[in-house]
Amino acid sequence: MAEIRYLAPRTLDEAVGAFAAAQGAARILAGGTDLLVQMRNGLAKPGLIVDIKKIAEMTEIAELPDGGFRIGAAVSGAMLAEHPRFGQVWPGVLEAVNLIGSKQVQGRASPGGNLCNASPAGDSVPAMIAAGAVVTVQGPEGRRQMPVEAVPAGPGRTNLRPGEIVVGFTLPPRPAGSGDAYLRMIPRTEMDIAVVGLGVSLTLAGGTVTHARVGLGAVAPTVLLVEEAGNALLGSRLEEAALDAAAAACRAACRPINDKRGTIAYRTKVAGVLLKRAVAIAAQRAQGGN
Amino acid sequence: MNVISDKLHVENNKWIGTRTIRPDGADKVTGRACYAADNVMPGMIWGKVLRSPHAHARIRSIDTSKAEALPGVKAVVTARDIVDFPLDKSVMLGIQDMRWMCRNVMAREKALFHGHPVAAVAAINEEVAAEACRLIEVDYEVLPHVIEIEDAIRPDAPILHDFLTFEDKPSNIAGRMEAKLGDVEAGFAQADVIVERTFRTRPVHQGYIEPQACTVSYAADGRATIWSSSQGQFMVRAMTSLLTGVPQSNIKAIPAEIGGGFGAKTIIYLEPVALLLSKKSGRPVKMVMTRDEVMRATGPTSGSLSTVRIGARRDGTIVAAQGTFYLQAGCLPGSPLRGPVGCSFAPYEIPNVLSVGYDVVSNRSKVAAYRAPGAPLGAYATESVLDELAGKLGIDPLELRLKNSAKPGSKAAYGATFGKVTFEETIEAIRTHEHYRAPLDKTPRPGVKRGRGVASGFWYNAGGESSAQVNITEDGNVLVTTGHPDVGGSRASIANVTAELLGIEHGRVSVQIGDTSSIGFSNLTGGSRVTFASAMVVTQSTEKVITQLRERAARIWKIDPEAVTWENGEARPAGPNAGQFPPLTLTELAAKANEMGGPIGAGVQLNTTGADPGFATHVVDVEVDVDLGIIRVLRYTAAQDVGRALHPSYVEGQIQGGVVQGIGWALSEEYLYDRQGRLDNASFLDYRMPVCSDVPMIEPVMLEIPNPKHPQGVRGVGEAPIVPPLAAIANAVHDALGIRFTSLPMSPPKVVEALEGA
């Protein structure tokens, strides 16, 4: 039997050093809700597990002086839900993070793990993309930042360089009149995986959209930023024509597969339906509703 | 839930009909209950099964030498070690043919599905056993495979078994069953309206949470002990004996606490293999299936292709009904044809019926029984056609059922002439229920539609062999032993019955399930039979105990036993002796037992009869999100004649559980195969059983119409409630959308496609 080493470093430098030195034989452990399942199924056989939860920065939630937020990569869904301010500012992102896995694993499941698992159906990713979140990564060659949408490379693959670890997410300051939402289609009500997931972030001024971003999941090899959908909403007052155009942009962005979780035709149609529904919720929030 | 029943019981009984604390509850909620996988023995090793990577392949040879040479490996078995039942002679155990069972537990000539066991290894731990499985070299000749019914019955289909012929040609049709009454063509000639539709259902899994597991210890003296989770320790003993050649008298099968069975644990997969591994290795062997193995290689129940045609006169009188049911058997014969063929038309008095079933093999795992086997898929077709017929005739669907319902003396096509029939009562219970009368806003919001549907169902129910022993302990308490694994509250129900009969506090009665060496033969927990049958043998045993207690008191008082009565847990002198002696309690009599004739206890073994059939009628409201195609069940009410609810909470649980399984069957559960014939959704993530938040509180309406052939009036309840939901939900969806779904599950992509095509 192969031996597994387990490390729980207190500093990021130690973690990066050990992770890089293992040269691909190591896996990062945040909540473990993907990693442990993969190990049990024989899909992952790491020689080294680097637990990042002992590193303070990884589990911190900070409201920044400019009004933005920094969320450590290993912050659990439950921790984020308990933050007094985060859910008020980014209700859509919080909803999405709280849908990772199921209620039972929310005390462990983290947005960093969800992103690095690189599933096209990861729930938090479309909402983070819509929010315009940027990830900080640290590797042997130091720190760098990249937009969330640049992280996934394909199912189970990321664009992180060897030895790089996602440290956290930075969400931008929120102008007045902003709101976000995340919706996913699952056949059940719980314990399921997104057939389509869609996040929207809007800013409205006097009823006119001044900022709009749309993230779309489970319809392509990676979660997508659908710029055309955001552009279709920009400058509109969310009239039917703008919503139709944004929905059409979402459908056009779909490159899904037929699989056990949904058909191409169904996923494509649902992308448009969710766009309209999520925009309605985000707009209501932007205008002061809940 | 149902006020009438509780009141009825409170008036007559102290314990029967009350919601006593369940005897297995504390152990289950605290994690102490010992399920099959919890057993551990000194020196125990682990068994693993090597499974076929092909859906259909001839096995040319198996080389196990490398696996056997791996350090830590203690034994390897293949089909050569399993008793062979030659194909030309059927050997039956109950409804199971050992020719098929020996080939199901271990592939013999061919691997017949992806996941079919080919060999098994026992080693010092699971990792070594798994590694040894990888070292076994199997030379396969891969053959073309066939999965779906339509493909399997084509003339040019790959044939699974050369020995099977149908109409004198090699065929995948393994059998035919027919139920007939009158002249169906002459009947249709009298009909003013005829509706005919073809329906498809997918195989669905029983979905028990506890995977199959066992520990088997074969000792040097040739005696074997089996700890396993099943719906019948005597079935485990008999089938293991047949497949290993070890006589039944040398096998002790100990039933573990069971984490769900729903019919599927009426056959075995691991026990004979583990026994042979234990025999070869000289060590106790434990085997536990993974969820993947459970989904891939146990159960499910049949998928189906059914055509039902029903004709009625203008006034709603049904004059003829015809059903043709093709069922997927999986890789070896044995579909539950009796379900759809016999049950589909049984609730109705129809003079002309022709109901025919075909057993179709294909490269899937062999089906296992699932709650009212085959009946739900038959009722789906029949009750959908009745709904459409009611629409065409302009008659309320419940009125149509009432008008044609079977009555005492009605003859069913499957052969029975009914005695007491309580179908009309279930229809009336729904027709007069507030749910059926409540207004339903069919378009509550844009993009949302609602509908209401009804359907009925029938299940045979069963009696059969049961044994019980009732012993009075030295301290005057009561130990009842029965021979049935408890999947539906039989221990709680039996405790209520025993306490009632003896007139003592409920807490003084313990009920246990005996192993095969400590209680007489008892047939499977299945067929909605256990509470019916075991209450019968426990009642007779308890009555014998009461006779003994009266005799003891009579001896102490030196009076005639006939002059002693048993009331409220004590013997009292009666007749001319009334009041002459102070009563003797159970505790006092137990204390004097040995000086007055020895231990007090009695057992009864019976082949029970009198299990009249069960009827159910359901109403359901659904809501459809038309843009996403999601169907949600808003409200569900299920009426059933339960005879007498010995423990109402369990009876309600049976009704609710059956309905929930029916909801999954209707809306979300299905076996999905890829092009290579591999199951593509062998997990609870992608095999979508409903979760709690998917279903509303199911309201059971228990109609307590005592079964006159049972001492407490019990009627089987476990299976009838899964029969109506498929059609009830499909009928409700039709009411909402005007679209009649003839294919299950009504999954969101299918619903959207239908709406876009409409």
Side-chain angles (χ1 to χ4, degrees):
Chain A
M1 256 185 299
E3 285 207 353
I4 303 171
R5 284 193 307 132
Y6 169 86
L7 281 182
R10 299 264 166 193
T11 69
L12 200 47
D13 287 341
E14 267 182 90
V16 169
F19 187 51
Q23 296 187 336
R27 289 288 299 267
I28 299 294
L29 175 75
T33 60
D34 285 309
L35 179 60
L36 297 188
V37 176
Q38 289 167 9
M39 288 171 64
R40 200 181 159 97
N41 290 341
L43 298 172
K45 291 174 183 166
L48 170 68
I49 291 172
V50 181
D51 184 345
I52 55 170
K53 287 191 295 297
K54 301 278 195 293
I55 303 164
E57 189 179 1
M58 289 286 189
T59 56
E60 277 170 6
I61 306 167
E63 191 166 5
L64 305 174
D66 65 358
F69 275 91
R70 252 186 25 85
I71 304 167
V75 165
S76 72
M79 283 166 66
L80 201 57
E82 284 176 6
H83 192 274
R85 287 268 305 144
F86 185 79
Q88 292 174 11
V89 182
W90 293 103
V93 172
L94 181 61
E95 275 162 2
V97 171
N98 286 161
L99 285 171
I100 301 170
S102 64
K103 205 90 178 165
Q104 288 89 333
V105 300
Q106 273 288 307
R108 311 285 296 180
S110 66
N114 199 224
L115 178 62
C116 293
N117 189 49
S119 161
D123 280 306
S124 68
V125 186
M128 286 286 194
I129 290 175
V134 169
V135 293
T136 301
V137 299
Q138 185 159 330
E141 284 150 41
R143 276 197 179 211
R144 64 178 179 127
Q145 293 203 313
M146 55 205 290
V148 168
E149 58 271 23
V151 176
R157 291 184 301 113
T158 68
N159 291 314
L160 297 178
R161 294 175 194 146
E164 278 188 333
I165 300 174
V166 172
V167 180
F169 299 79
T170 306
L171 282 77
R174 223 40 187 142
S178 298
D180 72 333
Y182 173 75
L183 288 177
R184 65 172 182 176
M185 190 282 157
I186 54 171
R188 288 184 289 207
T189 47
E190 272 287 351
M191 305 295 289
D192 219 326
I193 194 161
V195 176
V196 179
L198 187 141
V200 174
S201 174
L202 296 177
T203 304
L204 281 82
T208 299
V209 177
T210 59
H211 173 85
R213 274 172 73 93
V214 176
L216 182 57
V219 295
T222 61
V223 182
L224 306 171
L225 167 66
V226 190
E227 288 178 305
E228 298 78 6
N231 292 341
L233 299 172
L234 206 57
S236 78
R237 301 180 68 81
L238 300 176
E239 304 87 346
E240 201 58 37
L243 294 172
D244 284 342
C250 287
R251 287 194 297 269
C254 292
R255 284 172 284 133
I257 52 170
N258 278 323
D259 72 0
K260 58 196 170 191
R261 292 172 188 153
T263 60
I264 292 171
Y266 182 74
R267 286 185 150 123
T268 306
K269 177 188 162 71
V270 168
V273 174
L274 293 190
L275 179 281
K276 291 190 179 183
R277 292 186 183 183
V279 165
I281 297 167
Q284 197 186 8
R285 287 171 176 166
Q287 287 157 340
N290 286 317
Chain B
M1 296 274 166
N2 187 300
V3 182
I4 300 164
S5 69
D6 285 352
K7 196 161 61 179
L8 187 140
H9 286 147
V10 167
E11 281 169 9
N12 298 325
N13 295 117
K14 185 165 181 198
W15 301 111
I16 290 174
T18 66
R19 299 167 192 266
T20 49
I21 301 286
R22 52 191 284 177
D24 54 330
D27 274 357
K28 283 181 177 167
V29 299
T30 57
R32 286 209 174 122
C34 195
Y35 293 92
D38 294 328
N39 195 55
V40 176
M41 286 189 76
M44 186 182 87
I45 58 174
W46 289 80
K48 274 258 176 237
V49 174
L50 174 69
R51 295 177 182 277
S52 170
H54 305 294
H56 194 192
R58 194 172 307 286
I59 299 172
R60 291 206 195 95
S61 65
I62 303 177
D63 182 352
T64 60
S65 55
K66 284 181 188 159
E68 284 168 74
L70 184 72
V73 172
K74 301 294 181 188
V76 178
V77 302
T78 65
R80 270 184 303 199
D81 301 290
I82 306 275
V83 174
D84 185 12
F85 288 84
L87 294 166
D88 54 6
K89 186 167 169 286
S90 174
V91 175
M92 300 300 289
L93 176 70
I95 59 167
Q96 301 300 336
D97 190 324
M98 291 304 117
R99 291 177 296 172
W100 318 143
M101 288 313 301
C102 79
R103 284 164 176 78
N104 198 42
V105 298
M106 200 61 79
R108 193 161 282 275
E109 302 83 2
K110 295 205 284 188
L112 295 165
F113 66 95
H114 178 260
H116 198 161
V118 174
V121 174
I124 50 166
N125 61 40
E126 286 182 278
E127 290 75 13
V128 174
E131 178 60 26
C133 284
R134 281 188 286 273
L135 294 172
I136 294 173
E137 291 168 3
V138 185
D139 183 10
Y140 292 105
E141 176 194 346
V142 178
L143 303 169
H145 67 272
V146 61
I147 299 291
E148 302 298 345
I149 294 173
E150 288 94 327
D151 300 329
I153 61 178
R154 256 191 258 280
D156 60 345
I159 297 296
L160 269 71
H161 306 291
D162 300 332
F163 54 88
L164 288 179
T165 58
F166 185 74
E167 294 173 343
D168 299 325
K169 288 192 284 285
S171 173
N172 290 322
I173 297 180
R176 181 180 185 277
M177 178 184 277
E178 180 182 297
K180 197 176 168 188
L181 205 61
D183 178 343
V184 80
E185 282 315 317
F188 281 117
Q190 302 166 29
D192 297 317
V193 180
I194 296 174
V195 175
E196 178 178 324
R197 289 264 186 185
T198 294
F199 299 87
R200 286 172 178 76
T201 67
R202 310 292 288 172
V204 293
H205 198 267
Q206 294 82 353
Y208 38 85
I209 300 299
E210 182 199 25
Q212 270 84 355
C214 68
T215 306
V216 181
S217 174
Y218 185 92
D221 63 358
R223 290 175 192 278
T225 308
I226 302 172
W227 291 263
S228 74
S229 159
S230 78
Q231 288 175 248
Q233 60 273 43
F234 291 90
M235 174 279 297
V236 170
R237 181 177 76 176
M239 211 175 278
T240 305
S241 169
L242 285 162
L243 296 177
T244 61
V246 177
Q248 286 192 20
S249 54
N250 277 7
I251 299 175
K252 173 151 102 175
I254 301 175
E257 198 63 65
I258 180 169
F262 310 107
K265 291 178 184 169
T266 56
I267 57 172
I268 52 174
Y269 299 89
L270 299 175
E271 287 88 339
V273 177
L275 187 146
L276 293 168
L277 288 170
S278 177
K279 187 177 177 179
K280 281 193 171 186
S281 64
R283 305 274 287 271
V285 173
K286 179 166 174 168
M287 300 182 82
V288 182
M289 282 199 198
T290 62
R291 182 69 55 198
D292 184 87
E293 288 177 296
V294 170
M295 298 302 286
R296 217 173 276 289
T298 75
T301 191
S302 302
S304 66
L305 173 63
S306 310
T307 300
V308 164
R309 184 181 187 215
I310 301 179
R313 290 211 184 91
R314 186 65 58 200
D315 69 353
T317 307
I318 298 173
V319 288
Q322 185 168 1
T324 309
F325 306 98
Y326 289 90
L327 267 65
Q328 281 165 330
C331 64
L332 291 156
S335 299
L337 296 181
R338 193 174 157 259
V341 170
C343 296
S344 298
F345 305 113
Y348 306 103
E349 186 168 86
I350 307 174
N352 306 292
V353 175
L354 179 60
S355 190
V356 181
Y358 295 97
D359 187 22
V360 182
V361 295
S362 65
N363 297 109
R364 299 166 167 267
S365 57
K366 175 175 167 43
V367 296
Y370 181 24
R371 208 167 192 158
L377 59 91
Y380 167 52
T382 304
E383 299 286 317
S384 291
V385 167
L386 281 178
D387 198 62
E388 189 169 348
L389 192 65
K392 290 209 163 151
L393 292 166
I395 300 176
D396 175 273
L398 289 180
E399 293 290 347
L400 180 66
R401 285 170 175 81
L402 209 50
K403 186 174 179 64
N404 293 283
S405 79
K407 292 160 188 66
S410 293
K411 192 165 166 53
Y414 75 85
T417 300
F418 292 130
K420 196 174 175 71
V421 178
T422 51
F423 182 37
E424 287 183 5
E425 286 86 340
T426 71
I427 304 171
E428 282 293 357
I430 292 299
R431 202 169 64 137
T432 56
H433 196 280
E434 182 271 329
H435 180 175
Y436 194 62
R437 291 159 175 257
L440 181 71
D441 182 356
K442 293 182 80 171
T443 51
R445 304 184 293 283
V448 173
K449 294 190 175 175
R450 290 180 177 172
R452 178 169 293 162
V454 296
S456 296
F458 170 92
W459 181 247
Y460 302 103
N461 291 335
E465 305 94 325
S466 286
S467 302
Q469 175 73 31
V470 176
N471 288 335
I472 306 301
T473 58
E474 299 95 294
D475 61 358
N477 292 308
V478 185
L479 179 65
V480 183
T481 306
T482 70
H484 301 295
D486 176 2
V487 299
S490 53
R491 279 170 293 189
S493 300
I494 290 305
N496 282 3
V497 167
T498 310
E500 189 75 51
L501 292 171
L502 281 169
I504 58 173
E505 284 302 304
H506 176 266
R508 291 173 65 186
V509 180
S510 289
V511 184
Q512 67 159 2
I513 300 151
D515 63 54
T516 54
S517 302
S518 66
I519 186 71
F521 177 78
S522 300
N523 211 326
L524 291 163
T525 296
S528 299
R529 62 174 294 268
V530 162
T531 301
F532 170 86
S534 53
M536 205 175 257
V537 289
V538 167
T539 297
Q540 293 191 15
S541 303
T542 308
E543 282 168 350
K544 284 188 175 186
V545 166
I546 291 171
T547 300
Q548 289 174 21
L549 291 164
R550 286 170 48 225
E551 285 167 359
R552 300 297 167 91
R555 195 187 292 193
I556 292 166
W557 293 327
K558 299 190 173 59
I559 63 173
D560 189 69
E562 294 303 312
V564 178
T565 58
W566 186 263
E567 284 171 58
N568 289 327
E570 53 189 34
R572 292 178 186 168
N577 306 303
Q580 288 196 12
F581 310 101
L584 282 164
T585 64
L586 180 59
T587 308
E588 287 164 341
L589 288 167
K592 291 180 200 283
N594 289 345
E595 57 195 90
M596 288 292 153
I600 302 169
V604 167
Q605 296 172 278
L606 275 185
N607 185 7
T608 63
T609 58
D612 277 359
F615 295 91
T617 300
H618 295 183
V619 57
V620 57
D621 295 349
V622 301
E623 179 173 286
V624 187
D625 179 331
V626 295
D627 289 323
L628 298 181
I630 297 174
I631 299 168
R632 300 260 184 252
V633 176
L634 294 179
R635 187 174 181 190
Y636 204 111
T637 306
Q640 188 174 331
D641 171 19
V642 302
R644 192 169 208 186
L646 298 179
H647 193 294
S649 300
Y650 268 111
V651 174
E652 289 163 355
Q654 287 287 337
I655 294 172
Q656 291 165 327
V659 169
V660 171
Q661 288 185 313
I663 290 172
W665 202 332
L667 296 180
S668 58
E669 295 180 39
E670 61 181 318
Y671 262 45
L672 300 168
Y673 281 82
D674 68 11
R675 286 198 187 142
Q676 283 75 44
R678 297 173 302 205
L679 182 62
D680 200 22
N681 60 335
S683 73
F684 278 152
L685 175 60
D686 288 309
Y687 179 82
R688 290 180 160 122
M689 278 166 52
V691 298
C692 285
S693 51
D694 291 333
V695 292
M697 177 53 77
I698 314 287
E699 184 181 344
V701 178
M702 298 185 291
L703 304 171
E704 301 204 68
I705 307 162
N707 174 0
K709 298 172 192 166
H710 189 274
Q712 284 84 30
V714 168
R715 189 182 294 270
V717 293
E719 288 169 294
I722 199 178
V723 182
L726 286 59
I729 295 166
N731 293 342
V733 172
H734 176 262
D735 186 47
L737 303 178
I739 298 170
R740 191 163 293 285
F741 282 86
T742 56
S743 165
L744 299 182
M746 293 177 280
S747 59
K750 223 187 253 182
V751 173
V752 164
E753 201 183 322
L755 280 162
E756 287 181 343

